[in-house]
């Protein structure tokens, strides 16, 4: 082989195993079809719509944020793409869409060995003190590892994960989002937060400091579901774009709405409201999207 060809081969092989951020799911905890939903939003379930999750993967490790009810499909997808089963799991909080997929690691299923599960202190205590989760720990299927706010953790492959506390209905655990730092870029992931105004940090000043921002897009607007929406507070997408329109177009392009409720009309790409949000520079996360980190 000629030297240039060898050089290019080495370069492209290296490029092929570079770390990538991958969108594994985009829906709110209950997914779609959603139990007892007879509306059009769940009448024709789409392919490749799973509960919200992101991963950072390369040829040695897949770091997956949250273990969703679609965890099997999502981790099988990672294995096919990256050729291994090496997982590190980071949990955001103890709502069912974000940790219940851990059941698949247990003796009745994959029976894994010491898969590291990183979580905040209350979340770890919840796993330690409640079945069936504590059995996963007793049988060494998972190995809980405690993390702290603003204390970055560096994984074996160099990816840095930093939890960031957010206000949310914290019945069983605190709730965090994550900064995900790769070789050259940083992503922010906040799938659940009550309202931007309830936070002691300013999302407007954070977005310019990151390269990608995957943020809570649960509901499009008030009145979307037939229940008091104050019971399940989230920043409506309509509110978020009001707030974030003050960003430059370059910064608006970094914003991807994720964690969409089954009822959210912006799931439909032909919905006029979605088209105008996209025309303003904002985007929507989709399964299989890949980003360099
Ligand atoms: Zn959620
Ligand atoms: Zn529905
Ligand atoms: Zn939640």
């Amino acid at each position: 082989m000629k030297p240039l060809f060898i050089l290019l081969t080495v370069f492209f092989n290296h490029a092929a195993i570079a770390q990538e951020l991958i969108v594994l799911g985009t829906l709110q905890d209950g997914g779609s079809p959603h139990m007892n939903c007879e509306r059009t939003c769940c009448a024709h379930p789409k392919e490749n719509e799973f509960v919200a999750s992101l991963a950072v993967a390369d040829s040695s490790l897949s770091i997956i944020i949250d273990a969703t009810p679609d965890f099997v499909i999502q981790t099988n997808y990672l294995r096919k793409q990256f050729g291994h089963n090496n997982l590190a799991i980071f949990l955001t909080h103890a709502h069912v869409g974000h940790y219940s997929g851990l059941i698949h690691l247990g003796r009745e299923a994959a029976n894994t060995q010491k898969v590291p599960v990183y979580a905040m202190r209350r979340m770890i205590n919840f796993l330690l003190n409640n079945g069936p989760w504590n059995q996963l720990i007793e049988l060494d299927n998972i190995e809980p590892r405690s993390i702290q706010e603003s204390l970055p953790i560096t994984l074996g492959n160099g990816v840095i994960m930093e939890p960031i506390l957010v206000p949310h209905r914290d019945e069983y655990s605190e709730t965090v989002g994550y900064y995900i730092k790769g070789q050259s870029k940083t992503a922010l992931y906040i799938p659940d937060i009550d309202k931007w105004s309830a936070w002691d940090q300013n999302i407007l000043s954070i977005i310019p400091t990151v390269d990608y921002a995957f943020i809570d897009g649960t509901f499009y607007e008030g009145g979307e579901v037939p229940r008091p929406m104050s019971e399940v507070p989230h920043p409506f997408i309509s509110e978020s774009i009001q707030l974030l329109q003050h960003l430059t177009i370059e910064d608006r392009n970094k914003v991807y709405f994720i964690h969409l409720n089954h009822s959210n009309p912006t799931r439909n790409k032909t919905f006029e409201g979605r088209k105008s949000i996209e025309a303003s520079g904002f985007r929507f996360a989709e399964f299989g999207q890949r980003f360099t980190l």
Side-chain angles (χ1 to χ4, degrees):
M1 272 193 288
K2 289 180 181 164
L4 178 64
F5 183 73
I6 293 169
L7 192 69
L8 285 174
T9 307
V10 169
F11 174 78
F12 283 117
N13 279 346
H14 180 74
I17 59 163
Q19 274 156 8
E20 286 184 293
L21 178 87
I22 302 135
V23 176
L24 294 178
T26 55
L27 295 179
Q28 180 269 357
D29 302 41
S32 178
H34 199 90
M35 186 159 174
N36 288 346
C37 180
E38 295 180 334
R39 296 195 282 166
T40 52
C41 50
C42 292
H44 307 288
K46 293 185 211 149
E47 271 183 36
N48 293 338
E49 273 198 319
F50 307 114
V51 175
S53 174
L54 296 183
V56 182
D58 56 36
S59 59
S60 66
L61 182 67
S62 294
I63 300 161
I64 185 165
I65 304 181
D66 285 336
T68 81
D70 297 315
F71 192 62
V72 174
I73 296 169
Q74 291 166 327
T75 52
N76 282 349
Y77 177 81
L78 286 176
R79 188 185 62 246
K80 279 183 200 141
Q81 299 290 318
F82 294 91
H84 62 78
N85 270 329
N86 304 324
L87 286 180
I89 302 168
F90 282 76
L91 300 178
T92 58
H93 65 302
H95 282 161
V96 294
H98 301 266
Y99 77 98
S100 61
L102 292 176
I103 50 171
H104 297 289
L105 301 175
R107 182 175 266 175
E108 307 93 321
N111 195 32
T112 54
Q113 269 297 305
K114 294 195 174 182
V115 172
V117 175
Y118 296 84
M120 298 288 284
R121 188 176 303 272
R122 264 185 82 200
M123 182 76 223
I124 296 266
N125 284 336
F126 173 78
L127 299 175
L128 283 168
N129 295 315
N130 292 282
W133 322 109
N134 49 7
Q135 181 175 294
L136 298 173
I137 298 167
E138 283 154 20
L139 297 180
D140 281 337
N141 299 128
I142 65 172
E143 186 175 278
R145 297 189 185 174
S146 191
I147 56 175
Q148 291 175 43
E149 189 191 24
S150 305
L151 207 66
I153 302 280
T154 305
L155 282 293
N157 61 353
V159 174
I160 298 170
M161 301 289 293
E162 182 182 328
I164 177 170
L165 270 173
V166 297
H168 191 41
R169 297 169 281 112
D170 292 342
E171 300 95 335
Y172 297 113
S173 74
E174 59 286 88
T175 301
V176 293
Y178 285 98
Y179 286 110
I180 309 154
K181 297 180 190 176
Q183 286 154 348
S184 57
K185 294 189 172 167
T186 298
L188 171 72
Y189 181 45
I190 299 180
D192 273 284
I193 185 169
D194 283 357
K195 289 282 181 192
W196 298 120
S197 59
W199 200 18
D200 60 2
Q201 302 209 39
N202 185 352
I203 188 67
L204 265 178
S205 53
I206 291 177
I207 289 173
T209 69
V210 300
D211 298 285
Y212 316 106
F214 297 88
I215 60 170
D216 184 338
T218 308
F219 300 117
Y220 173 59
E221 60 186 357
E224 190 176 309
V225 286
R227 65 194 272 190
M229 292 185 79
S230 56
E231 286 176 4
V232 284
H234 289 275
F236 302 136
I237 290 180
S238 60
E239 295 171 335
S240 294
I241 57 172
Q242 277 293 317
L243 177 67
L244 301 179
Q245 68 175 348
H246 301 292
L247 295 170
T248 64
I249 182 67
E250 189 191 25
D251 285 334
R252 275 176 269 154
N253 283 164
K254 299 172 178 176
V255 175
Y256 290 78
F257 290 107
I258 196 167
H259 192 273
L260 273 57
N261 202 54
H262 67 110
S263 58
N264 191 323
T266 63
R267 286 177 56 212
N268 181 349
K269 287 181 184 171
T270 62
F271 173 59
E272 288 300 327
R274 171 168 170 149
K275 288 186 192 167
S276 84
I277 291 165
E278 289 174 322
S280 319
F282 303 104
R283 305 172 199 244
F284 290 84
E286 273 185 60
F287 175 81
Q289 276 172 336
R290 294 165 90 130
F291 302 86
T292 56
L293 261 194

